[in-house]
Every structure is written in C-alpha cells, then in structure tokens.
C-alpha cells in the first residue's frame, strides 16, 4: 500500500466568497486542473439543492472549468444506481455543498455513490466540501450540536459520515458559531482523533503527504486528542463542563502549514 | 488476509447468572479452553472495579479456569504501560465487566492496551463483555441514551468504542430497558451498520466464520440497516419520531443461529 495516493481533501468552513476574489474556490479549481477541470457538484446536503447546485456550477464555469455538472440525489436507491455512478467518470474534482450534513449522510453513507466518492479521493481525486459538505468528510461526523466554548457531555451528536478521513473530525463555521466546545467534546468522546475547526471563507488543504495549509480569510483550529491524558466525560452529566487534559490546541491563520503524520490518517484513507 | 482468524466475540446483555447454572459464563469459559483457560478480567467500566473484578475472578476460578487475573486501570497512561500490556501474555480469553461503557472507553480507546485487546481478538483470542463491556466492543459505540420503542433523533449518544467490530452496534439490557428505539436510531445515524440488542442473562456468540448463536435466557434483536432505504432523521427534530424504511428486524431466542457475512464485518476486524 502506498500511503501517498490519497487525493487532496479540502474542508471549507462555509460562506466562502463566490463573487469577489473567490480565493478558496479558485484554489480548489486549480487543484482540480484549472481550465482542464471537470467538476462534479453534489448539492444534496441542501434543502434547496437545485438552486445551490446551479449556483456552484455557474461559479466554477465562470472561473474557467472545462466541465461542471450536478448530481441530484433524492433517495438512497439513486445513490446505488449505475447511471448516477457513471457520471463520476472523468471527474477531476468533487465538490459537496452546504446544508445539513445528516441529510447528505442519510442519502450517501454506505451506498455505492458514497463509496465511489471515498475511493476516488483515495485514488487521488481532490474533494472539497463547504459547511455541511466539510463535516460529512469525517467517518465520525458531527451531525449537530450546541454552541459554546466549554465542552459538555451532550453538546454534540455524532453519526457516520462518508469516511474520506478516518481520524479527523471536521467542524465548520467555527469561530463564527463558537464551536470550540462541541469539537472538544467530540474529541473527548473519540480519544485519539484530531478535531479540525474551519472558519467561514477559509479552507484547510490536506495533501496526500500529510502537509496541510490554511487558505482564506479566517483561522483553522486544531484540537488534537492523540495524546489525551484524561477526561471525565463519562461522569460529567448533561451540560456540566467536562474536564480534559492533554489535548493540544493550535489556531492557524492563512498560509500556516501543519503536518499530519501520514501514517495517522492517510494510510487508513487509502487502505480502507 | 485470512478473513477467518478473528476470535469469538461474545457480547452479554448484563445481569448474567453467576450463582446458578451460569450458562452464559460457562459457555465463555469453554471457548477459552475450560480448565486450561487463562482469563484476564478488565473491570474498568465499573465504579466499583475492585469488587466487581474480584467477583468475576472468583466465579471463573470456581468454574475451573486454570488462571484468572484482573487488570485495574485508573488512567490512560497506565493503559500505555508495558507492565500492564505484559499481563495479557498467555491469555486465552478476555472478559470486560459492566459499569459505564464511556468510562471504559475513556480509559482504553486509542491506547496500547485498547489496541492490544483488539489485536488479540483479531488473532483468535475470545473476548466477552457484559453490559457496558458488550457496548464497548463496537467501533461506533452507544455511550448512553433514552428508553423507548420508537426512534427519535436525540435518544442516543455515540462515541468511539474499542473497535472489536467495525460494523455492529451492540446494545444490552435490551428488552428489559426497552431499547429498540435507541438501537434503531443508532442504525439510522449509521447507515449500513447492524444493531445487535442483547437481553439480560443472554449472549450473542459471534464466531470467526460469521456464524452467530444466541445463548441464555432471553432474546437477541438484530436491527439490520444494510439495506436501509430511507430515513428522515435529519429533519425529525429532537424527540419527534424518526421514519425509517428498509431496516430488517429479527428477534432470536436461545439456540437460534444467524449468519453474518464475514466479508461484512470480520474482514475489517482482521485487516484493521
């Protein structure tokens, strides 16, 4: 197994610029081949998937992508249909929009389409997702939760996401919605995992060799639970504060680099 | 990779007979080698781990095990210590007691000891767990939740367990505490997984070839989400009933057999 085959993973924290410099979306387009890019947009997280899908297709086309198309998915049987799967052929990038990550997961997780997205990413195709589309990249996905800086036992609800990463738990609208508490809670509930909280109009580029870079206007907060020493999350009931020790927190701005041990996550991404 | 190397996994629904026929515990002892068994008891889920550990050691010794010992773990650094790991050498079976599965997971998940238990099971060593010890076998673990027959979005809280199985979500005290709703909710949140609800004084023996058997006084309820056709769990808020379609439910009594596709779960148990 070559640990270095996995494609770029690019969670975006939502509300990225679509009318001005488009820094984040332009970056993704470049990783997908620029004017040679063939992008598939999956807008199924959204309750307004037709409009949202059209909007992203127009933005990528206007920036010069060679081909852009939308997959509209209304039920799980469609996600298992050969017709839909065939439309991923030739894609040089996949983009998942915002909305509700649990809706996206309910339609895609453990279907042929969900597996195809995971395998294409593992084979080298870049995948970006914004807001709900970012959360859904995780195997252990934050489905929803409460705002707040402090962790508490009940402030986060977990579910299975698409599993593009086995070991990162991705959160979004991070500073804007005050989500440090829920991401810390998610890490305390999943010892050994690493939380990635991405601000609005900001992306975290996770490359195949473990090199990561922050792009855009805001920050990315890393909540690293790999050296978790202690948590009393089992005894701190309901919304009482939870104690944690040994969690390493980093706040990174645009241009900052971060090295993930490829053995930690990318190996699993490819091997799975 | 040989799919058939994984050891017996034996979730017990709690409150198993320890003074009469001891049907369930005796079965486990036999799988561990009977009078040649060397059993390691991990009582860390319990708030009274010393007493609970002593109790199980006494029961297994009285039934004829050659050697029984207890691992007492008070913090995660212990779970990474070579001294503790060395005490698993020679074990022919591992037994995890009841208590709080989130306590057990907080102490063991993503530590060397937690990984050792998983690897020993994958290499053929039987592992049983009762109540909390049964729940903690799952990768996607039910940490806690509400009683009730109907699924609702918030009735179950998930966390990472030990990962002895990647694809089964194990619940316990199942009929006694009316937990069909929370197990169905857990499956709806994790499409493609299979829920296993084990009654008190009852075990579900999961063998390396995928053959499963119910043992003991009560029933085992299978909530199979592999063909999940539909769920609106993303839109049915809080404690409103969640719709699900395509979940196959089976209720099985002592002696009943059930075949799990070994490709579905055991492959992942060994390969991981």
């Amino acid at each position: 197994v070559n640990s270095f085959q996995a494609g770029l993973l690019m969670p975006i924290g939502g509300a990225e610029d679509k009318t001005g410099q488009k820094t984040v979306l332009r970056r993704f387009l470049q990783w997908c081949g620029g004017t040679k890019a063939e992008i598939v947009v999956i807008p199924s997280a959204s309750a307004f998937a037709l409009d949202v899908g059209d909007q992203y297709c127009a933005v990528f086309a206007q920036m010069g992508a060679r081909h852009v198309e939308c997959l509209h998915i209304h039920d799980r049987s469609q996600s298992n249909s050969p017709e839909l799967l065939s439309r991923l052929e030739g894609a040089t990038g996949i983009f998942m929009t915002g909305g509700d990550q649990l809706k996206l997961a309910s339609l895609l997780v453990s279907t042929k389409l969900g597996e195809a997205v995971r395998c294409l990413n593992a084979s080298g195709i870049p995948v970006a997702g914004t807001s709900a589309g970012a959360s859904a990249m995780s195997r252990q996905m934050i489905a929803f939760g409460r705002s707040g800086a402090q962790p508490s036992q009940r402030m986060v609800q977990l579910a299975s996401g698409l599993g593009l990463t086995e070991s990162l738990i991705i959160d979004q609208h991070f500073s804007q919605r005050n989500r440090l508490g829920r991401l810390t809670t998610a890490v305390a509930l999943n010892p050994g995992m690493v939380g990635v909280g991405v601000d609005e109009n900001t992306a975290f580029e996770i490359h195949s060799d473990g090199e990561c870079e922050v792009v855009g206007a805001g920050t990315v907060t890393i909540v690293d639970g790999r050296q978790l020493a202690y948590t009393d999350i089992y005894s701190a009931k309901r919304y009482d504060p939870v104690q944690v020790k040994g969690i390493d927190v980093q706040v990174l701005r645009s241009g900052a680099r971060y090295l993930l041990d490829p053995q930690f996550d990318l190996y699993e991404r490819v091997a799975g």
Side-chain angles (χ1 to χ4, degrees), chain A residues 14-268:
Chain A
E16 71 287 344
D17 173 20
K18 297 174 200 68
T19 57
Q21 291 295 314
K22 312 181 192 68
T23 308
V24 168
L25 295 179
R26 195 174 299 279
R27 262 301 261 243
F28 179 63
L29 183 65
Q30 280 162 4
W31 290 116
C32 298
T35 54
K36 292 178 181 163
E38 306 204 1
I39 295 181
V40 172
V41 174
I42 301 179
S44 311
S46 176
F48 314 100
L50 285 172
D51 292 346
V52 169
D54 284 351
Q55 181 187 27
Y56 279 99
C57 285
V59 171
F60 284 123
Q62 182 259 322
M63 286 194 292
R66 182 160 69 191
H67 183 77
V68 190
E69 73 173 294
C70 243
L71 294 192
H72 289 293
I73 303 149
H74 306 290
D75 58 50
R76 290 176 62 85
S77 67
Q78 257 186 308
S79 298
N80 285 313
S81 75
E83 192 276 323
L84 219 82
L85 285 168
S86 70
R87 293 174 59 198
L88 288 171
E89 277 170 32
T92 66
I94 298 169
F95 187 93
M96 301 186 290
T97 74
D100 177 342
Q101 57 264 40
L102 195 51
K103 176 167 182 261
L104 184 62
S106 294
L107 287 167
L108 261 71
V109 168
S110 199
T111 68
K112 287 179 182 167
L113 179 61
E115 271 304 280
V117 171
R118 192 181 68 77
C119 290
L120 284 170
N121 184 238
S123 74
I125 303 297
V127 176
T130 186
S131 188
S135 291
M137 292 172 170
S138 304
R139 173 76 65 196
Q140 187 64 297
M141 178 181 85
I142 295 180
F144 49 87
R146 287 199 182 189
S147 293
Q150 268 190 332
S152 67
Q153 198 191 55
R154 306 258 172 134
M155 78 190 302
V156 65
Q157 294 269 344
L158 301 166
S160 284
L162 290 169
L164 306 187
T165 162
E166 297 284 338
S167 314
L168 304 179
I169 302 178
I170 296 170
D171 207 351
Q172 19 75 13
H173 299 283
F174 194 71
S175 303
Q176 289 77 13
R177 298 189 189 172
N178 193 16
R179 286 177 165 171
L180 180 60
R182 83 176 199 180
L183 187 56
T184 306
T185 301
V187 169
L189 288 169
N190 297 278
M193 292 196 184
V194 173
V196 176
V198 187
D199 282 359
E200 293 180 357
N201 198 18
T202 309
F204 194 53
E205 290 186 357
I206 306 165
H207 290 278
S208 55
D209 54 1
E211 283 279 358
C212 304
E213 185 176 348
V214 180
V215 176
T219 64
V220 169
T221 302
I222 305 291
V223 180
D224 184 343
R226 283 177 290 180
Q227 303 299 324
L228 179 71
Y230 174 77
T231 176
D232 67 351
I233 194 159
Y234 55 90
S235 62
K237 296 299 181 200
R238 303 191 64 80
Y239 296 102
D240 292 342
V242 161
Q243 297 190 89
V244 291
K245 298 179 189 174
I247 288 183
D248 179 63
V249 175
Q250 303 194 18
V251 181
L252 307 171
R253 212 171 34 223
S254 185
R257 286 164 186 279
Y258 181 86
L259 185 64
L260 262 182
D261 179 358
Q263 291 303 317
F264 169 62
D265 190 65
L266 296 172
Y267 176 77
E268 297 191 60

